[in-house]
Amino acid sequence: MSVASVEENITTVKEALKKALSSTKRGADQCQLIAVSKVQPNEKVAQALQAGHRVFGENKVQEAQQKWPDFRAQFEGVELHLIGSLQTNKTSDAVALFDVIQTVDRPKLAKSLKTEMDAQGRNVRLYIQVNTGEEDQKGGVLPADLPDLLALCRDELGLTIEGLMCIPPIDDEPAFHFALLKKLADRHGLDKLSMGMSGDYELAAQMGAHYVRVGTAVFGARDYS
Ligand SMILES: *Cc1c(COP(=O)(O)O)cnc(C)c1O
């Protein structure tokens, strides 16, 4: 994969998604690729933009602030998703920068987002992250606490929640977590799911993902050095 260009990788992933969806009732347009650009060099992100891709994911507010205002000035129609955990002292910046925030996971954050969206007059699309593996160190609301968080968001704050997002535990069978996320979404009348990464996006698409978040398979391995 390292010799293939970012453009070729995007084509490959999109073809694989199309193939995965062909065995379902859903059309290829019902699952969108989020190219996860965190830590990747700007040249590679620019290659994706030049190839016409517009939907990207970042997991840190500060890192996204450093690259996306410039890219947005050069390329129209960018849709930017926050897929990493959000501290309430960064909600103002996050609301200003992102089109979609996928990691709403606690009442304090939901309230802070509501306040900021009102103050800025911006309507950011929101997903609730569910900690389907109930891991201590991971963000996301526990499945048992989802009903209360949803009620707070919808009834008390008047927020629209578009769907649910999960990151399965690394060593687990992802299908179990994808199925659980789908079940929770169905139960609460939510129809959009963000699930699936480089190793399992085809499975996620088959199991109902509306967004898959793919980094490595698009840009190559992240270099943290
Ligand atoms: C980094 C990241 C991804 C992409 O992971 P890959 O395995 O590189 O595709 C997806 N989702 C979240 C929340 C991430 O932080």
Side-chain angles (χ1 to χ4, degrees):
M1 193 186 70
S2 54
V3 289
S5 70
V6 169
E7 180 169 13
E8 286 167 331
N9 290 340
I10 289 173
T11 304
T12 303
V13 171
K14 284 190 172 167
E15 284 299 318
L17 276 176
K18 204 164 147 189
K19 191 154 169 261
L21 287 167
S22 68
S23 62
T24 71
K25 289 202 200 78
R26 306 166 71 228
D29 58 336
Q30 284 175 281
C31 185
Q32 303 262 320
L33 167 64
I34 299 176
V36 177
S37 47
K38 67 183 186 199
V39 187
Q40 300 289 352
N42 283 349
E43 302 85 74
K44 287 191 176 180
V45 183
Q47 283 169 26
L49 285 158
Q50 273 149 13
H53 195 75
R54 289 294 181 269
V55 186
F56 293 86
E58 291 280 347
N59 73 334
K60 293 206 171 88
V61 175
Q62 227 171 343
E63 183 187 340
Q65 274 176 322
Q66 282 162 12
K67 56 180 118 161
W68 284 101
D70 284 348
F71 282 136
R72 275 200 164 122
Q74 294 172 60
F75 298 93
E76 270 178 52
V78 167
E79 178 182 303
L80 197 58
H81 293 242
L82 178 64
I83 59 172
S85 59
L86 178 58
Q87 303 302 317
T88 44
N89 63 3
K90 296 230 173 70
T91 47
S92 172
D93 291 339
V95 164
L97 182 64
F98 290 92
D99 302 292
V100 186
I101 293 177
Q102 297 202 358
T103 50
V104 181
D105 64 355
R106 57 198 191 279
K108 189 180 171 197
L109 178 58
K111 287 174 192 165
S112 173
L113 285 167
K114 166 70 176 164
T115 304
E116 274 306 325
M117 289 198 287
D118 285 352
Q120 297 184 28
R122 265 181 69 79
N123 197 13
V124 178
R125 292 157 51 202
L126 303 175
Y127 282 66
I128 288 181
Q129 181 181 355
V130 184
N131 187 353
T132 55
E134 309 199 7
E135 296 172 282
D136 288 338
Q137 78 286 6
K138 196 163 271 174
V141 66
L142 293 174
D145 297 332
L146 175 63
D148 282 354
L149 182 60
L150 257 177
L152 171 83
C153 290
R154 287 168 160 172
D155 307 337
E156 207 171 301
L157 302 175
L159 292 170
T160 300
I161 300 297
E162 187 169 298
L164 302 178
M165 175 270 215
C166 77
I167 309 169
I170 293 173
D171 301 325
D172 260 19
E173 170 55 53
F176 167 82
H177 298 273
F178 297 161
L180 176 57
L181 199 69
K182 174 94 173 81
K183 195 171 91 178
L184 292 169
D186 287 346
R187 187 181 296 162
H188 295 287
L190 296 162
D191 61 355
K192 293 197 174 160
L193 303 173
S194 169
M195 58 188 195
M197 315 196 337
S198 289
D200 51 25
Y201 67 86
E202 291 151 287
L203 176 67
Q206 284 169 343
M207 294 185 70
H210 182 78
Y211 283 114
V212 292
R213 311 176 307 263
V214 181
T216 310
V218 166
F219 296 109
R222 287 178 287 277
D223 180 0
Y224 287 95
S225 64

